[in-house]
Amino acid sequence: MTQAARRRMRAILRTAVLGALTALIVASCSDGHLDVRSVPAAGWSSYGGNNANSNYSFARPPADLELSWTRPTGGPVTSPVTLNGGGDVVVSARTPVGCNFLVLDSRAGRKNFCKRMADGFWGNAAVVDQFSQPYIGEPGRFLALTGGGAIRWRKDVAGVPTSAKFVGPGHVLVTTSLGQVMILNSQNGDLAMPQAELWSAPAADPLTGLGDCVSGGSGCAISAPPAVDWAHQRLFLNFFPQGAKSSQVKALSYARQGDHQAITDQWATDLPGGVVGPPTVSADGKTVYAFSRDGRINALDASNGAVKWTHDNGGYGFGTMSVSPDGLIIPAGTIGAPLVILRDAGDRAEEVVRRDDLQTTGLSSMTAAGTAWTVVRTGADQNLELMEIDTRSGATERTLPMPDAKGFATGVAVSPTGRLAVATNIGAVYYYSPKSPS
């Protein structure tokens, strides 16, 4: 063996030994999971599609989408589905027995895994990180799971968690029905900073006031998922103060102040009759949108809560909306409401599109293709169909079938590659992929 060859061999051996030692150290200091900070999965990782609750995707759905599979869940679906980075569907269902939390494979709808969560978790949509690991709440606790469904860690909480959000790399925001606000280390569930208690002396029973979370009543402190602005380290809540007559939009900061990082109050704004559904924050972080109980959309200055404008939506319906980076807004109206597309003009909302011939049945989702996907009722039998609408002209681009679908849809989720997943409230999932090669 030449001297050069011997040097190469020694280098290879040193590299191998170093790699083995590194692996040994990692294995001895962890529970088998790489200590890499978690971030939201690419695509539709959380309630509202992203941290802002904007129901917007930068993906462009393929032109040859078709229904590739459908699957019953065994019970009603009352929260939107989310997707991991590979497009697998994460769904919560209100089933009488068996699994009620499922991860369905994108190729054929088979179960990657399923679990039985505690009764009362049904309104909770999971947030998924880049490792396909779901984070989901149930009465009294918040859980982090592996991609195979094993429990990584648990965190006891007061009340029932709302759908969680990431507030930065490695940090998960958990808000609860009894007023807790916590930011947890996604690796181990420890508090990343002191938690905030927005209600004093919360009830011991985590199910206390859960019925009011559905109606937005006074027994539920936080009845909807938060919206998060990463750039300004702010979060926005639909919050019902103890003893108040109605709920308000409340802003909190989790920015570092000197040597300390803490959750601190920023502002609170009362809306007529209270707030309905989750707030939504604009892409630039300057505006927060929320529905009030008088049927109006309210645009608030995100820095101080001042009202910029209000717009009569003719009914608040689902109390949520889709907002694009360039300021288009599609409010979710009551069941059977027309499709309306607005634009934020700074001091008012301008109507861009109105389709009175459509009966919408839930929340629309917008994409970078300049279109919106919405579920509509058609015909005398009121069957559901998935429709793509041009957001500039309002023209129908295409319609995809939803065989035997009734009721209403809980939203349209868009994968990083433009595949679509839709769930109906009666308990069925529909999945659309590009046509298979013949």
Side-chain angles (χ1 to χ4, degrees):
M1 181 182 293
T2 66
Q3 186 174 359
R6 284 194 294 270
R7 284 198 298 270
R8 285 196 298 271
M9 182 60 70
R10 285 196 294 269
I12 291 170
L13 288 172
R14 283 196 300 270
T15 301
V17 170
L18 180 60
L21 287 172
T22 301
L24 180 62
I25 291 169
V26 170
S28 65
C29 296
S30 75
D31 60 357
H33 301 282
L34 293 178
D35 188 15
V36 176
R37 294 192 300 174
S38 297
V39 295
W44 212 266
S45 61
S46 67
Y47 183 105
N50 50 39
N51 293 314
N53 288 334
S54 68
N55 294 286
Y56 179 89
S57 172
F58 288 97
R60 294 175 178 268
D64 58 347
L65 284 178
E66 65 177 5
L67 179 64
S68 57
W69 55 263
T70 182
R71 184 185 181 101
T73 59
V77 177
T78 56
S79 62
V81 300
T82 58
L83 306 176
N84 66 18
D88 297 336
V89 184
V90 186
V91 58
S92 302
R94 189 170 184 168
T95 62
V97 295
C99 294
N100 53 14
F101 179 68
L102 309 92
V103 178
L104 305 177
D105 183 85
S106 62
R107 293 165 293 183
R110 295 186 179 92
K111 295 176 186 175
N112 288 349
F113 74 84
C114 70
K115 297 182 74 68
R116 182 73 191 180
M117 305 289 289
D119 288 350
F121 97 107
W122 308 295
N124 209 320
V127 62
V128 189
D129 69 17
Q130 77 271 39
F131 306 115
S132 297
Q133 298 181 138
Y135 303 74
I136 185 79
E138 62 181 5
R141 65 189 57 85
F142 186 79
L143 301 93
L145 308 176
T146 68
I151 296 175
R152 295 169 50 220
W153 50 260
R154 300 178 180 87
K155 178 70 174 179
D156 290 340
V157 303
V160 181
T162 67
S163 303
K165 301 283 186 179
F166 279 96
V167 295
H171 287 164
V172 178
L173 169 67
V174 179
T175 60
T176 76
S177 60
L178 296 180
Q180 277 189 330
V181 180
M182 297 180 289
I183 295 178
L184 306 179
N185 184 315
S186 65
Q187 180 70 11
N188 53 27
D190 292 342
L191 286 169
M193 63 191 73
Q195 68 191 41
E197 301 281 354
L198 302 186
W199 272 14
S200 61
D205 183 354
L207 292 172
T208 300
L210 184 58
D212 274 2
C213 292
V214 178
S215 61
S218 61
C220 184
I222 302 171
S223 61
V228 179
D229 174 10
W230 278 36
H232 299 95
Q233 294 185 293
R234 286 194 292 247
L235 58 101
F236 306 94
L237 304 175
N238 174 345
F239 174 61
F240 210 122
Q242 284 175 304
K245 293 183 178 180
S246 60
S247 55
Q248 58 187 204
V249 180
K250 184 176 182 64
L252 301 173
S253 171
Y254 59 96
R256 181 172 294 278
Q257 299 177 350
D259 295 332
H260 303 283
Q261 192 166 12
I263 300 168
T264 56
D265 283 347
Q266 294 293 291
W267 52 261
T269 298
D270 295 318
L271 299 181
V275 185
V276 181
T280 300
V281 60
S282 62
D284 61 9
K286 294 181 179 180
T287 307
V288 179
Y289 304 99
F291 281 91
S292 52
R293 289 191 175 273
D294 62 353
R296 292 179 177 271
I297 301 172
N298 299 261
L300 310 178
D301 187 317
S303 66
N304 57 25
V307 177
K308 293 182 173 182
W309 53 258
T310 65
H311 179 82
D312 187 356
N313 187 49
Y316 50 79
F318 286 88
T320 189
M321 64 195 81
S322 176
V323 178
S324 71
D326 59 352
L328 291 180
I329 303 168
I330 305 181
T334 54
I335 299 296
L339 178 73
V340 176
I341 303 177
L342 309 170
R343 181 182 297 280
D344 187 342
D347 59 352
R348 66 192 185 283
E350 297 176 341
E351 188 172 287
V352 177
V353 168
R354 185 179 184 89
R355 290 283 303 269
D356 289 312
D357 60 314
L358 298 181
Q359 299 181 51
T360 61
T361 64
L363 174 65
S364 301
S365 296
M366 285 189 277
T367 74
T371 63
W373 291 89
T374 190
V375 176
V376 300
R377 285 179 175 171
T378 61
D381 54 5
Q382 298 287 280
N383 283 336
L384 303 185
E385 292 182 332
L386 178 60
M387 186 173 289
E388 184 181 25
I389 305 293
D390 187 302
T391 55
R392 293 152 296 197
S393 66
T396 300
E397 296 292 315
R398 52 181 153 168
T399 302
L400 300 177
M402 296 178 63
D404 303 316
K406 299 288 187 180
F408 62 85
T410 61
V412 182
V414 186
S415 82
T417 56
R419 290 163 170 78
L420 306 178
V422 182
T424 62
N425 69 302
I426 60 174
V429 178
Y430 295 81
Y431 199 85
Y432 301 84
S433 299
K435 291 181 179 179
S436 302
S438 56

